[in-house]
Amino acid sequence: MSSVKKGVSQVFTSKNIDFDIVRGKNNVIKYDQQQVLKFDDFNFDNQTDLAIRNGNNGSYGAPTYDIYVFNSTKQRFVKSEELTDLVVDNLGMFEVNHARKRLICKEKSGCCLLLKTEYEVVFRKGLKKVREVEETSDGETVKVTTRELRNGQWVSNLKKYKVADYYKP
């Protein structure tokens, strides 16, 4: 016999939830290629966390999410303001890189500036910015500036490419 309790264990609300239901692969509900619910380990503690779509409040009207991390002591999901703000302050949901234990955010300004920022999640301390890659273009060349935090110091590297070479398919 199963020892699973029946009934509601936790309720989530969102004042700004905004989505059109589209059935994707494996019957996943999506909004404009953005999932309404995302389950992943956002803080790399080996617990599944939850992101709930809450509107279009990011840069350029990008989809935003409330991020809830699973608290194993409380046996509940707890909202992470820091991770939620990370989504709102950037261009949509961050990418989770499990191999490198990084959260990767993207930003842009117009046509000619793209910025990718990587964060480490420091247990009980929060997010630590550890890498930035900035791409700027004048139409003929692309300048790629990489800044990395190494041994407590920021190290920068600049490379230039011809637009046609950099954006080859």
Side-chain angles (χ1 to χ4, degrees), residues 29-142:
I29 298 173
K30 294 186 172 191
Y31 169 88
D32 254 359
Q33 305 307 314
Q34 296 285 335
Q35 294 172 320
V36 175
L37 301 174
K38 291 180 179 267
F39 295 92
D40 205 335
D41 182 6
F42 302 129
N43 59 353
F44 309 107
D45 65 352
N46 296 316
Q47 299 288 333
T48 301
D49 303 315
L50 170 65
I52 301 175
R53 177 98 159 69
N54 69 5
N56 297 314
N57 305 311
S59 299
Y60 294 87
T64 51
Y65 294 83
D66 289 324
I67 309 296
Y68 295 86
V69 295
F70 188 76
N71 182 307
S72 58
T73 303
K74 295 179 181 180
Q75 290 293 296
R76 299 181 64 76
F77 289 98
V78 177
K79 186 173 181 183
S80 169
E81 295 297 338
E82 187 174 35
L83 294 178
T84 298
D85 289 346
L86 196 62
V87 176
V88 173
D89 294 342
N90 291 284
L91 193 57
M93 184 67 182
F94 49 77
E95 174 187 334
V96 181
N97 184 311
H98 291 280
R100 295 174 51 228
K101 293 189 176 185
R102 301 269 175 95
L103 301 178
I104 303 168
C105 299
K106 295 177 183 171
E107 298 175 65
K108 73 178 223 157
S109 180
C111 68
C112 305
L113 172 66
L114 299 172
L115 182 64
K116 193 185 313 185
T117 307
E118 295 185 17
Y119 296 89
E120 285 183 353
V121 178
V122 181
F123 185 66
R124 297 188 192 257
K125 292 188 179 182
L127 298 174
K128 179 179 180 181
K129 184 177 6 175
V130 294
R131 187 171 195 258
E132 287 182 329
V133 178
E134 181 179 299
E135 297 176 13
T136 57
S137 175
D138 62 9
E140 293 181 26
T141 60
V142 178

